[in-house]
């Protein structure tokens, strides 16, 4: 009797295997429509079963790629951390179950300048290191660490402490982890950050509000240079007011409504050694706006270059008028790191001086110690170019930053200004007096002249004179004056040069 060929597995076993494979496909790739057809083929034509491998493979590949796309949609490609979308989902889940959570938002200060100096590849490596540090610290708390894009990170902490002091301590711990020195390419880098913290449901009822209010707290930390700020009710209301103020400031600059006043600097024999140009703005409907407020707003919004150009134009044109009247006195103008990093800034300053026929030595630019920390080689090149044009430079607010002696020695500055926060308290506080004395001695050892800001009484004048300070600036000498009043004041000093 002839034998009928049989499948190696037999129709029942083969059909079972195919059905099992198809059912696995159903579980992983959505192959449910193939189940009935595969069952019929397994019973009647088992030799055709291998044909099911192709559609199952296609479906499995589609499933795998779909999973990858979902993963990529919630993962930051550079660091491997969850991204903004993932953080938002986690915050939504916490809000849905009303789970108390704290959102710590961390923005790396001046990272763009560091990125430009070291290169984008090196900047990416630094971001990966920051991500790893935050992730390592968060493991102990069960927190979710996310990268929101650029140089901004977030940590969603479950069950945070109740007290505001403890909340700030929590945020400072993450900020300290970011600030720990990083050894990179033979350099030791220290990354500073601004950190805002908001709590669900204390400060926000939902995920969107939580993200927005943590961001508002972070912006306040940047503006106040506090480092870490906890969200406070009312901060959010400040945002539209600031936007309105920014629009008004822009219009005031366009229409020439911002004023430039001049505050004298005098030596101890009463001679005028210079003036500082200080910007003032008064709104017609609401009166004067604090310079700290609108200058800080200009710096954080990108309007600073326009404001600096405005003050430079006013100061240089006033210098030309004074020189035409026989008054030859230098004028100092404050510039920010944003100005120094602008392409062509030094050439623009030189061009403006040439246009008004003012010698470069009549203009002095005041820079701050913050410039030393954040802008590296590009800033140094611009400062050297300015010095090459003959423009003088002064280091402003000395003592409030973190510059080292090496950095100070390499700066192309001829003058050092001691910050008013030390000068105003030096009579009552021996520590501040010691800081002032050391600053004077340090500056003189480097061949720099020293100007003390904020001198408001005779005792401070005498103390500074005894320390060997070269010149003073403050209300004891004169307040900042509009150009016409400054002109009259300067003319009176010609006839009475030793008057204080």
């Amino acid at each position: 009797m002839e034998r009928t060929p049989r499948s190696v597995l037999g129709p029942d076993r083969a059909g079972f295997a195919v059905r099992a494979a198809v059912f696995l496909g159903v579980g992983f790739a959505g192959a449910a429509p193939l189940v009935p057809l595969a069952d019929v083929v397994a019973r009647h034509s088992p030799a055709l079963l291998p044909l099911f491998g192709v559609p199952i493979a296609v479906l499995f590949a589609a499933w795998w790629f779909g999973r990858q796309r979902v993963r990529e949609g919630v993962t930051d490609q550079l660091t491997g951390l969850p991204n903004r979308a993932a953080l938002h989902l986690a915050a939504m889940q916490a809000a849905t179950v009303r789970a108390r959570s704290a959102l710590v938002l961390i923005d790396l200060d001046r990272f763009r300048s560091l990125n430009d100096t070291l290169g984008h590849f090196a900047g990416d490596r630094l971001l990966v290191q920051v991500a790893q540090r935050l992730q390592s610290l968060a493991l102990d708390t069960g927190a979710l660490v996310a990268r929101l894009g650029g140089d901004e990170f977030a940590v969603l902490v479950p069950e945070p402490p109740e007290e505001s002091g403890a909340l700030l301590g929590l945020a400072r711990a993450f900020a300290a982890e970011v600030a720990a020195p990083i050894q990179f390419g033979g350099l030791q880098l220290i990354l500073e950050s601004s950190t805002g913290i908001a709590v669900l449901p204390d400060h926000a009822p939902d995920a969107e509000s939580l993200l927005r209010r943590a961001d508002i707290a972070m912006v306040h930390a940047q503006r106040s240079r506090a480092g870490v700020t906890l969200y406070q009710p009312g901060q959010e209301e400040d945002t539209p007011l600031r936007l309105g103020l920014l629009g008004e400031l822009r219009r005031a600059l366009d229409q020439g409504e911002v004023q430039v006043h001049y505050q004298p600097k005098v030596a101890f024999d009463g001679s005028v050694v210079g003036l500082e140009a200080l910007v003032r703005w008064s709104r017609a409907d609401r009166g004067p706006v604090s310079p700290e407020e609108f200058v800080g707003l200009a710096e954080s919004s990108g309007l600073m270059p326009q404001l600096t150009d405005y003050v430079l134009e006013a100061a240089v044109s006033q210098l030309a008028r004074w020189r035409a009247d026989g008054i030859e006195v230098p004028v100092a103008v404050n510039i920010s790191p944003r100005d120094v990093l602008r392409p062509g800034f030094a050439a623009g300053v030189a061009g403006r001086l040439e246009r008004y026929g003012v010698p470069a030595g009549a203009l002095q630019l005041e820079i701050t110690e913050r410039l030393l920390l954040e802008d590296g080689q590009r800033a140094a090149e611009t400062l050297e170019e300015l010095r090459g044009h003959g423009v003088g430079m002064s280091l402003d607010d000395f003592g409030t930053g973190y510059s080292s002696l090496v950095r100070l020695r390499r700066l192309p500055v001829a003058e050092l200004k001691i910050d008013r926060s030390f000068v105003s308290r030096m009579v009552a506080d021996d520590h501040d007096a010691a800081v002032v004395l050391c600053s004077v001695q340090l500056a003189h050892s480097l061949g720099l002249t020293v100007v003390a800001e904020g001198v408001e009484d005779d005792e401070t004048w005498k103390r500074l004179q005894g320390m060997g300070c070269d010149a003073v600036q403050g209300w004891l000498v004169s307040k900042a004056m509009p150009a016409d009043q400054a002109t009259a004041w300067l003319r009176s000093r010609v006839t009475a040069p030793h008057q204080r």
Side-chain angles (χ1 to χ4, degrees):
M1 188 171 71
E2 295 184 6
R3 288 174 170 262
T4 303
R6 299 183 63 180
S7 168
V8 176
L9 294 176
D12 292 337
R13 295 174 65 189
F16 175 78
V18 171
R19 283 195 295 272
V22 172
F23 278 113
L24 287 173
V26 171
F28 289 104
L34 296 179
V35 173
L37 179 60
D39 186 64
V40 171
V41 171
R43 292 179 183 280
H44 300 287
S45 301
L48 300 178
L49 286 175
L51 297 177
F52 282 87
V54 174
I56 290 177
V58 171
L59 288 169
F60 184 83
W63 167 81
W64 188 84
F65 283 114
R67 286 287 299 271
Q68 285 296 104
R69 283 196 297 271
V70 171
R71 183 179 183 278
E72 291 171 1
V74 294
T75 304
D76 175 61
Q77 295 302 297
L78 175 64
T79 63
L81 293 176
N83 63 10
R84 182 181 291 272
L87 176 71
H88 188 264
L89 285 171
M92 284 180 61
Q93 292 172 357
T96 300
V97 299
R98 298 190 63 78
R100 195 166 184 274
S101 304
L103 180 60
V104 181
L105 203 60
I106 303 168
D107 185 76
L108 303 182
D109 294 339
R110 302 175 290 279
F111 185 79
R112 181 177 298 177
S113 299
L114 187 63
N115 210 23
D116 291 341
T117 302
L118 298 178
H120 293 286
F121 177 73
D124 286 349
R125 288 172 58 193
L126 286 174
L127 290 173
V128 170
Q129 289 197 46
V130 171
Q132 292 171 345
R133 288 181 171 195
L134 292 174
Q135 186 79 299
S136 175
L137 183 61
L139 288 176
D140 297 334
T141 63
L144 172 74
V145 180
R147 182 186 176 218
L148 306 188
D151 56 6
E152 194 172 32
F153 293 84
V155 186
L156 186 64
V157 183
E159 300 179 2
E162 298 277 350
E163 297 180 357
S164 60
L167 284 168
L168 287 169
L170 173 69
R172 288 192 182 105
F174 285 104
E177 194 70 17
V178 171
I182 296 177
Q183 299 299 327
F184 188 84
L187 301 174
Q188 179 172 284
L189 302 178
I190 297 177
L191 300 178
E192 297 180 352
S193 63
S194 296
T195 303
I197 182 169
V199 180
L200 180 79
D202 301 13
H203 301 140
D206 52 47
E208 289 81 4
S209 300
L210 182 68
L211 286 163
R212 184 172 66 252
R213 287 169 184 171
D215 185 70
I216 289 169
M218 186 266 291
V219 170
H220 276 262
Q222 287 177 326
R223 282 178 13 211
S224 64
R225 299 181 186 175
V228 177
T229 299
L230 178 65
Y231 175 80
Q232 299 292 334
Q235 286 179 342
E236 193 169 18
E237 298 171 5
D238 183 46
T239 301
L241 293 176
R242 284 175 59 80
L243 289 175
L245 188 65
L246 178 62
E248 289 187 45
L249 177 59
R250 194 183 303 275
R251 286 192 296 273
L253 289 171
D254 290 339
Q255 297 172 12
E257 296 173 355
V258 175
Q259 291 186 316
V260 176
H261 290 193
Y262 299 88
Q263 186 171 39
K265 297 183 285 186
V266 302
F268 288 94
D269 64 359
S271 60
V272 182
V273 299
L275 299 99
E276 181 180 358
L278 297 169
V279 65
R280 298 290 185 264
W281 178 35
S282 181
R283 293 185 291 177
D285 55 341
R286 299 182 185 178
V289 182
S290 164
E292 288 77 11
E293 182 177 4
F294 72 82
V295 172
L297 179 61
E299 191 165 5
S300 63
S301 67
L303 194 60
M304 196 65 197
Q306 184 178 346
L307 180 59
T308 300
D309 285 342
Y310 186 98
V311 178
L312 278 170
E313 180 69 18
V316 174
S317 63
Q318 184 61 53
L319 270 170
R321 287 190 289 272
W322 279 336
R323 294 180 69 83
D325 289 343
I327 301 173
E328 297 188 3
V329 59
V331 171
V333 174
N334 291 278
I335 60 173
S336 77
R338 283 180 179 267
D339 299 316
V340 176
L341 291 177
R342 270 194 288 163
F345 175 73
V349 171
R352 181 177 276 110
L353 289 166
E354 184 178 2
R355 176 157 49 90
Y356 280 100
V358 174
L363 178 67
Q364 187 179 52
L365 299 181
E366 295 192 1
I367 61 175
T368 64
E369 291 181 84
R370 189 159 57 95
L371 183 66
L372 305 179
L373 298 175
E374 62 187 50
D375 300 304
Q377 188 60 34
R378 287 178 60 192
E381 291 172 356
T382 301
L383 296 178
E384 286 294 340
E385 187 178 353
L386 285 165
R387 183 167 69 168
H389 287 301
V391 177
M393 271 169 285
S394 172
L395 184 63
D396 196 14
D397 300 337
F398 183 77
T400 61
Y402 307 93
S403 58
S404 69
L405 181 60
V406 173
R407 288 194 182 102
L408 182 59
R409 183 170 55 83
R410 293 177 179 173
L411 270 180
V413 299
E415 178 184 274
L416 182 148
K417 298 184 73 176
I418 304 175
D419 188 68
R420 68 180 63 250
S421 62
F422 298 106
V423 175
S424 62
R425 299 192 304 258
M426 60 179 289
V427 172
D429 190 318
D430 291 340
H431 175 75
D432 286 341
V435 170
V436 173
L437 177 60
C438 289
S439 299
V440 171
Q441 292 173 343
L442 171 63
H444 286 167
S445 71
L446 296 173
L448 308 179
T449 59
V450 184
V451 177
E453 299 179 299
V455 178
E456 299 181 357
D457 58 80
D458 288 322
E459 182 61 28
T460 302
W461 171 286
K462 293 175 184 177
R463 290 278 191 96
L464 289 167
Q465 187 175 21
M467 291 177 179
C469 185
D470 299 295
V472 297
Q473 178 181 350
W475 279 65
L476 182 64
V477 175
S478 172
K479 65 178 182 179
M481 302 170 284
D484 56 346
Q485 293 181 23
T487 301
W489 187 91
L490 287 168
R491 284 175 177 157
S492 71
R493 304 298 287 197
V494 172
T495 58
H498 299 287
Q499 176 183 338
R500 191 171 78 234

